[in-house]
Amino acid sequence: MSQSAVKASGVSDAPDAGRWKALVFIALAQLMVVLDATIVNIALPSAQQDLGISDGNRQWVVTAYALAFGGLLLFGGRIADLWGRKRTFVTGLVGFAVASALGGAATNEAMMFGSRALQGVFGALLAPAALSLLAVMFTDAKERAKAFGIYGAIAGGGGAVGLILGGFLTEYLNWRWTFFVNIPFAVIAAAGAYLVIREPKGSRNRSPLDIPGVVLSTLGLVALVYGFTRAESNGWSDATTVGMFVGAAVLLLSFVFVEARVKAPLLPLRVITERNRGGIYLSLGLAVIAMFGLFLFLTYYLQVVKGYTPVKTGFAFLPMIAGMITGSTQIGARLMTRVAPRLLMGPGFLVAAAGMLFLTRLEINTSYAGVLLPGMLLLGLGMGTAFMPAMSMATMGVEPRDAGVASAMVNTSQQVGGAIGTALLNTIAASATTSYIADHMGGASSRSQQQLVQLQGQVQGYTSAIWFAVGILVVAAAIALTFVNAGRPGGPAVSGSGAGDAAEDELPIPVVAH
């Protein structure tokens, strides 16, 4: 940091000696949260049978977590700024461990749904605190690139690791271990964080809490996430679905109106009106829409169409994980200090779109080595390369007192993107499948031919949705190349980078120098 920036923020420019040790525990906590998003999906059929959860109610195992997590993220980010990121981080970990223990010990559906909601509450404290700790602890450009490279690789690849771990635990132990496995992660991360992390002084935002902002943002985000979740199961024209979308729009517009007028807003508009961060939140949300839909389709394709076991399905995703780790730590982290972020994000999303294009060629008898392997490698490589600078730039240049809410916005864009992706792409796939079966079932006379048509219809649905995902990634690339105009870290700042910078006395972008 420059001396003037240091004085303005009140943060010491001496790097924390334990920052790399702290990164280990922050990364461990992030891995736990990301794993949990996919590991439970693998265990869901077994848990449903054991606990007697009806088909109509089983979605609440996923939805209860998504609503609590997505709805409370901005509040969690503000708590981190107000209460202290280390304290919020450790509290989130301990709470997540307790909620996971309750989930693993669940004896009925009410206990399961309650534990998942509780996981979401503490996840909403934990996730923004983790990212904002990185933002305030790593200020040197090269170190920041390495730290966010590791974090980005975990954020992108952890979900696929969850499929492998979930498959092992469900197949060789039982579904309860997909919850219990969080406990050692949380205990080690909390103990390590308590002993190692030292938050920079002067980085808290002690302004009074914006209660109207908390209520409006939480209700608005819950309505939005639930609207997309309900659209997936009940259709887009369902009265409650439409009502949720209308309610979300009214609540979130009211939230913006309130935030522009209150003295100490929950989400200072300077955080999202700056063009670089606004572009990152938008492009990242779009990329996650494409990504979440693909995870779902490939899991079903491999297990239902190809007949893979849960463990084999998890291992089939390894090339994507390898691509993400390579893209994030070897390409993104190495080039972050040499080129402008948009020159990593834009091409990264386009490489991921090229990987998706491979996957539009899926058929019942598609070769794994010929189509799935190169497709997943390119997808992982592109996403890893793009995610790394996106994660770093999303908190670069914010005042330390806003680091928590800026980090929460990253998680919010991902969470809302995930909800949209699952609902939107699932709807497209289901519609294409229904249309294909209606057109081809008449010519199927035997039972085996009818089963073949149904499988072909499913694959047709997946490829139709993947084509949409390709388009979404191209749009994400265009937004990244157009909106994100910051220079490379350590290079000259770009002028005219957004609304409200000078007026809000925000640190210049980029804030770091090496």
Side-chain angles (χ1 to χ4, degrees):
M1 276 189 186
S2 65
Q3 291 301 316
S4 59
V6 171
K7 287 176 184 175
S9 64
V11 183
S12 169
D13 61 349
D16 180 6
R19 61 196 179 283
W20 290 108
K21 291 178 184 175
L23 175 62
V24 172
F25 300 112
I26 292 169
L28 188 64
Q30 173 66 11
L31 179 62
M32 179 189 73
V33 172
V34 177
L35 283 177
D36 192 72
T38 51
I39 201 171
V40 172
N41 290 342
I42 295 282
L44 186 52
S46 304
Q48 181 185 355
Q49 189 175 357
D50 273 10
L51 300 178
I53 301 172
S54 67
D55 285 346
N57 284 343
R58 74 178 170 194
Q59 64 160 329
W60 283 101
V61 176
V62 175
T63 304
Y65 177 85
L67 292 181
F69 187 71
L72 292 170
L73 271 168
L74 283 176
F75 179 53
R78 179 67 182 87
I79 289 294
D81 287 336
L82 176 68
W83 200 27
R85 294 169 192 91
K86 174 179 173 176
R87 186 185 299 175
T88 306
F89 182 69
V90 172
T91 302
L93 281 166
V94 172
F96 202 92
V98 171
S100 297
L102 288 173
T107 54
N108 54 52
E109 65 177 32
M111 191 172 171
M112 170 61 75
F113 299 156
S115 68
R116 288 291 283 161
L118 202 59
Q119 276 187 316
V121 170
F122 286 106
L125 283 179
L126 175 60
L131 187 55
S132 58
L133 276 169
L134 286 190
V136 298
M137 291 177 77
F138 289 90
T139 53
D140 174 79
K142 287 187 177 179
E143 289 194 348
R144 186 182 179 95
K146 288 178 185 175
F148 276 90
I150 294 166
Y151 187 88
I154 290 170
V161 176
L163 295 172
I164 299 173
L165 190 57
F168 264 108
L169 293 172
T170 304
E171 209 164 308
Y172 298 115
L173 293 171
N174 66 47
W175 65 266
R176 295 184 185 276
W177 283 96
T178 61
F179 287 89
F180 291 146
V181 74
N182 289 331
I183 298 171
F185 276 104
V187 169
I188 293 168
Y194 182 79
L195 295 171
V196 170
I197 291 177
R198 284 198 303 277
E199 204 174 335
K201 292 180 181 178
S203 62
R204 288 196 197 177
N205 182 348
R206 299 182 185 276
S207 304
L209 196 60
D210 168 23
I211 300 299
V214 170
V215 172
L216 289 170
S217 68
T218 300
L219 292 177
L221 288 169
V222 165
L224 185 63
V225 172
Y226 183 59
F228 281 110
T229 304
R230 189 175 173 87
E232 183 187 351
S233 55
N234 293 64
W236 296 88
S237 59
D238 174 70
T240 305
T241 302
V242 173
M244 283 292 162
F245 285 137
V246 172
V250 171
L251 288 163
L252 293 175
L253 284 171
S254 302
F255 171 68
V256 172
F257 181 81
V258 167
E259 298 307 274
R261 283 157 180 77
V262 296
K263 187 176 179 182
L266 173 69
L267 175 64
L269 295 185
R270 60 179 174 265
V271 171
I272 54 173
T273 54
E274 196 280 313
R275 68 178 291 164
N276 288 280
R277 280 192 294 279
I280 281 166
Y281 297 145
L282 189 54
S283 61
L284 204 57
L286 286 169
V288 170
I289 289 175
M291 194 79 176
F292 263 62
L294 186 80
F295 268 141
L296 184 71
F297 298 138
L298 281 186
T299 302
Y300 276 106
Y301 173 78
L302 291 170
Q303 290 194 36
V304 176
V305 179
K306 302 291 277 186
Y308 284 22
T309 64
V311 172
K312 191 176 178 182
T313 300
F315 276 108
F317 279 98
L318 276 177
M320 191 185 295
I321 301 171
M324 282 182 175
I325 292 171
T326 303
S328 192
T329 61
Q330 300 305 309
I331 300 174
R334 288 176 186 272
L335 294 180
M336 178 79 180
T337 55
R338 301 178 187 179
V339 301
R342 68 180 179 277
L343 300 181
L344 290 173
M345 290 179 64
F349 288 137
L350 290 175
V351 169
M356 287 273 196
L357 268 177
F358 261 92
L359 299 173
T360 59
R361 296 164 54 198
L362 286 181
E363 295 175 359
I364 288 180
N365 297 317
T366 293
S367 156
Y368 178 84
V371 175
L372 286 160
L373 178 62
M376 286 200 278
L377 269 174
L378 285 172
L379 185 65
L381 203 61
M383 285 294 197
T385 301
F387 267 45
M388 187 263 140
M391 291 284 185
S392 179
M393 280 293 298
T395 53
M396 191 184 289
V398 295
E399 297 177 48
R401 66 195 173 107
D402 293 334
V405 289
S407 302
M409 275 302 299
V410 177
N411 289 288
T412 301
S413 65
Q414 289 179 302
Q415 185 65 25
V416 172
I420 295 171
T422 304
L424 178 63
L425 296 181
N426 230 4
T427 304
I428 292 166
S431 176
T433 296
T434 303
S435 177
Y436 182 91
I437 291 174
D439 290 343
H440 293 81
M441 190 60 84
S445 54
S446 67
R447 183 171 177 79
S448 61
Q449 286 178 326
Q450 289 171 354
Q451 288 175 338
L452 181 64
V453 168
Q454 286 177 335
L455 285 178
Q456 287 171 333
Q458 284 187 35
V459 175
Q460 180 68 30
Y462 302 154
T463 55
S464 298
I466 291 170
W467 271 111
F468 271 85
V470 171
I472 290 168
L473 282 174
V474 171
V475 173
I479 289 171
L481 289 166
T482 305
F483 281 78
V484 181
N485 71 344
R488 64 179 178 83
V494 176
S495 60
S497 59
D501 295 342
E504 298 291 352
D505 193 28
E506 194 167 2
L507 300 183
I509 288 197
V511 73
V512 292
H514 75 286

